[in-house]
Amino acid sequence: MNSTSPIGQPLPRVDGRLKVTGQAKYAAEFEIPGLLHGSVVNSTIARGRVRRIDTTAAEAVAGVVLVLTHENRPPVASYDEPYQDDDAADGSPFRPLYNDRVLYSGQPLALVVAESLELARYAGSLVRIEYDVEPHQTDLAAVREQAHPAPEEVPSRGDFEAAYRGAPLQIDHEYGTPIEHHNPMEPHASTVHYQPGDELIIHDKTQGVQNCMRYVEGVFGLEGKVQVHSPFVGGAFGSGLRPQYQLPLAVMAALKLKRSVRVVLKRQQMFTFGYRPRTLQRLAIGFSPNGRLEALHHGSLGQTSRFEDFTEHEVEWSGALYACDNVQLEYRLGSLDVYTPIDMRAPGAAIGVYALEAAMDEVAYAAAIDPLQLRLRNYTEINGNQGKPYSSKELCACYEQGAERFGWSRRPLEARSMRDGHELIGWGMATGVWEAMQMPASAKACLAADGRLIVSSATADIGTGTYTVMTQIAASALGLPMDRVEFRLGDSRFAQAPLEGGSATVSSVGSAVHQACVGLREKILDAAQQSPASPFTGASLDDVAFEDGELVLKREPARRVPLTQLIQTSGTLEAEASVKPGDEREKYATGTHSAIFVEVRVDEALGTVRVTRVVSAVAAGKVINPKTAASQILGGVVWGIGMALHEETWTDHRLGRYMNHNLAEYHVPVNADIHDIDVFFVEEQDSVVNDLGSKGVGEIGIVGVAAAVANAIYHATGKRVRDLPITPDKLL
Amino acid sequence: MSATTPIPEADGIAACPVSLELNGQRRHLDIEPWTTLLDLLRDRLAMTGTKKGCDHGQCGACTVLVDGKRVNACLTLAVMCDGKQVTTIEGLARGDELHPIQQAFIDHDAFQCGYCTPGQICSAVGMVNEGRARSRDDIREQMSGNICRCGAYPHILEAIEDALPAARAWAGEGER
């Protein structure tokens, strides 16, 4: 990488112009002649059977062409495997319109297909469904005793019970986190373009085009006949990791009618599939008067459906983040008459680290130690769960630089010690942690006849900046200006890519893009050596450089040839690469870390909380694009503020049904809720995680933020609220 | 883009003739009285730059300008726009030259997924027209009808603040 490499530069998004002019096309925005519109009818009970669906009135509406139910749908697979997508939980996946069973409230039971959206929606209101209702249970707290161990081994070490009993000081508290829904701004949608012979070109909102392609091919027996495209995704945050039900419903209608069909979910229906599970967590910590952790128990009870066991890493963080010899982790699930949860931004960590870091604050007060000092006192560079050192962990730099920027040293230890008029002021902090994963991925690089470099992989850009950072990686590898490189994604026909999730895309797909370009360098050099008089005869890759669109002989830099000239004689050159995680990773634990410092102002009379200042210091290895990466962290912080103060999906347990399934009552932060947020990255070198040394930043931004806010609220008010979100009623 | 998709006539209710100026172009359309401005734009005219996020006036993704004022297109019946000027995200740039707020959104990375962006930008342009954006708190408050789930709010604020003078000048040039 030469001095003009775009890697590490805060470049604007390459797809920015398309997005600010309304030209970026999302799943529901592809025009197809004769397109039909589908509207989904959902169950109003949580458990039972459909006795009868009366579709007469709906079918009588002029312009309605089909009402699809379990009784007239096309054939689908009758065993679990085809439904088990790349992000499936253990169990038997939900099958839309499969039979008369109602498994949760909001389950799709019919699809009305009509010539226009308004007609489909109206006719949907005329579908009458009679049920045989069965008793349901949707309250996690009510099934505490019947919970079962999660199908995931959680590590423990030492002897917690004895060490806890023997510790001079102890805390033991329960923390609660509510159901949250992703609510990306773009509702889930599928546009199925029907082709003769049951070939389908599908525009779907997804984080994995190949995942959805395999699902549709398997469920409907359409091997080799399905393409899935998703060039733009209007946010997902995990909701697009599994195929959602509008996809198979649209496919069913298209196959039955042999016509093109679009199904778009309503905002209310965005609450009828996956979500972040409600959890009840217990943290019991034994510690010495100087704050050293001697025993730590972290148990979590999470909710799941009756048909799948959803698991995520909720408690493991407590065995990894701090030094402690006696750790007991426990993870159980309560099965309810609900849909299965799905990964949501920093799945597991967002809620598990909240509980841990809120408990650490309680330890700090019990031991009368500054919360930052407490973290430093228990610092470790070993992941205790795995007994392995971290490949890099610049968390101390995050603590130190973050504290400096925030002014943490001026913080009085006592709660309720800062006030400005009617507002109580509090400062809190927390640590964040996430994994630095890498998955197998492939990419293809092609130097076209016009000298442009086209690189592609079947990954996604859900707003994360994939288009931009992949362009940077490719441009850097071949010494080309950004505007001569194009990265393409979101097409199931492209080179294999994993689901876009877990903060692993730069690490996985970015490594493949880099390798594909390295492969292309060889092809280019070969091509340059074809003519007998070539100045590159006998040169190896080490002897040449790729700079400013030219191939250059390093020892005689005057000898150079533009790639545009080379390609005239050679014709198009291509290289494909597949990259797997390196063996070196086996010896190490890998992770991203952060330190978050928060100031809140709490109105004493009203209990309203404003988060007036946040400093988020992040260690994530090499940052490919500081501009888009900072936006990722910023977004994560906003999510953390929402998690701390606003977000909660309420269930009416008598009906087994959500009560606030809209954006007026499910509160997410708005512009006026957000104040100063200072995001920065500390230097972190890592040669183990991947060739780029880059770790990914999609999740780390949210982790720890809710705890830092909760801890700041305690510092302001002296009130410890352990059940999120911390709404004004809980502070009065 | 120009033809409207014919839909079957509902019993006894005729489509209404509507004449409006859409992004500077006079359009004569026959529109069913129940069709919202949002569905007209997206489904009949294939102008999908205006986004549907909730269809209930709760998210702001469908914000467009009607006679220069910002409205939620999902809560506006298309027939109400008879004789009015409608400006969408597709109509803000002048040829290749982006509106200053569009350019500032790119420069400040004021979006991620891009789905709320057209609404944010139209809302910001409307706010400039209203002449009420005098402080950062004003902007925050007056942009709070537009949800950004990606959480780009601080960058949206910076972009608007940065582009305010140029956006005012742009509006002035448009009037001449």
Side-chain angles (χ1 to χ4, degrees), chain A residues 326-655:
Chain A
N326 303 288
V327 176
Q328 183 187 63
L329 306 178
E330 194 180 279
Y331 184 21
R332 294 182 309 141
L333 298 175
S335 301
L336 299 169
D337 297 300
V338 296
Y339 196 73
T340 312
I342 191 172
D343 291 335
M344 180 164 163
R345 202 167 198 171
I351 49 185
V353 175
Y354 154 68
L356 170 65
E357 288 296 284
M360 285 296 280
D361 204 60
E362 306 210 37
V363 169
Y365 279 93
I369 297 171
D370 173 80
L372 176 54
Q373 282 306 315
L374 178 77
R375 268 82 172 178
L376 291 170
R377 207 156 281 177
N378 291 287
Y379 195 78
T380 174
E381 305 226 324
I382 308 285
N383 179 327
N385 292 334
Q386 302 171 349
K388 291 178 186 175
Y390 278 99
S391 60
S392 59
K393 183 179 175 182
E394 292 296 339
L395 177 56
C396 275
C398 295
Y399 286 142
E400 194 182 320
Q401 295 171 36
E404 173 67 27
R405 282 166 91 136
F406 186 84
W408 184 260
S409 62
R410 298 193 301 275
R411 177 183 183 271
L413 192 58
E414 311 86 82
R416 269 186 102 83
S417 54
M418 295 194 288
R419 172 190 285 277
D420 178 10
H422 58 97
E423 285 185 322
L424 300 168
I425 301 171
W427 290 0
M429 61 84 57
T431 313
V433 56
W434 183 251
E435 296 163 87
M437 292 180 279
Q438 184 180 6
M439 258 81 83
S442 306
K444 185 172 160 184
C446 170
L447 193 62
D450 63 357
R452 288 174 60 77
L453 175 65
I454 313 288
V455 185
S456 58
S457 179
T459 183
D461 187 334
I462 58 173
T464 41
T466 313
Y467 277 116
T468 309
V469 298
M470 297 304 159
T471 306
Q472 288 175 268
I473 292 168
S476 173
L478 285 173
L480 287 168
M482 288 285 285
D483 60 8
R484 271 179 55 195
V485 182
E486 184 184 338
F487 182 71
R488 295 178 183 167
L489 52 71
D491 185 329
S492 59
R493 297 169 300 178
F494 290 167
Q496 177 272 330
L499 291 170
E500 200 225 12
S503 297
T505 301
V506 167
S507 183
S508 312
V509 179
S511 297
V513 164
H514 179 70
Q515 279 308 318
C517 292
V518 168
L520 194 56
R521 282 188 206 157
E522 280 181 47
K523 299 270 178 83
I524 293 169
L525 180 57
D526 271 358
Q529 290 169 336
Q530 290 309 308
S531 82
S534 169
F536 300 100
T537 305
S540 74
L541 269 183
D542 288 341
D543 300 327
V544 297
F546 291 81
E547 286 174 12
D548 305 325
E550 295 180 316
L551 177 67
V552 184
L553 197 61
K554 280 186 194 165
R555 61 172 183 270
E556 284 180 76
R559 290 182 172 268
R560 49 177 64 220
V561 54
L563 301 189
T564 43
Q565 188 183 318
L566 267 176
I567 202 84
Q568 297 306 319
T569 22
S570 69
T572 302
L573 296 172
E574 279 184 7
E576 190 163 337
S578 296
V579 176
K580 290 193 180 99
D583 296 339
E584 188 71 2
R585 286 178 74 102
E586 289 299 311
K587 299 180 203 155
Y588 296 93
T590 57
T592 52
H593 293 87
S594 68
I596 307 104
F597 300 85
V598 163
E599 176 184 274
V600 297
R601 283 169 172 260
V602 183
D603 187 296
E604 201 178 6
L606 301 174
T608 49
V609 179
R610 288 190 300 142
V611 177
T612 43
R613 257 182 343 120
V614 180
V615 172
S616 173
V618 178
K622 173 80 185 168
V623 175
I624 306 290
N625 185 328
K627 196 181 191 97
T628 54
S631 285
Q632 284 283 288
I633 301 300
L634 195 66
V637 171
V638 171
W639 271 60
I641 292 170
M643 180 180 165
L645 301 178
H646 309 130
E647 293 191 43
E648 175 173 23
T649 309
W650 299 315
T651 308
D652 182 334
H653 294 299
R654 293 166 306 170
L655 299 171

Side-chain angles (χ1 to χ4, degrees), chain A residues 10-58:
Chain A
L11 299 176
R13 284 168 203 265
V14 296
D15 51 341
R17 196 177 175 98
L18 289 176
K19 286 178 174 173
V20 302
T21 54
Q23 301 305 308
K25 284 213 178 286
Y26 300 81
E29 300 178 346
F30 290 85
E31 230 190 326
I32 297 166
L35 183 74
L36 296 171
H37 299 261
S39 183
V40 182
V41 180
N42 305 75
S43 79
T44 54
I45 66 161
R47 183 183 167 99
R49 282 181 188 278
V50 174
R51 191 191 310 141
R52 187 164 160 266
I53 299 191
D54 182 355
T55 59
T56 330

Side-chain angles (χ1 to χ4, degrees), chain A residues 669-675, chain B residues 120 139-140 143-144 153-154 156-157:
Chain A
V670 298
N671 210 318
D673 293 317
I674 301 303
H675 299 270
Chain B
Q120 300 278 358
I139 298 173
R140 283 190 181 106
M143 288 300 295
S144 283
Y153 298 125
I156 291 171
L157 173 65

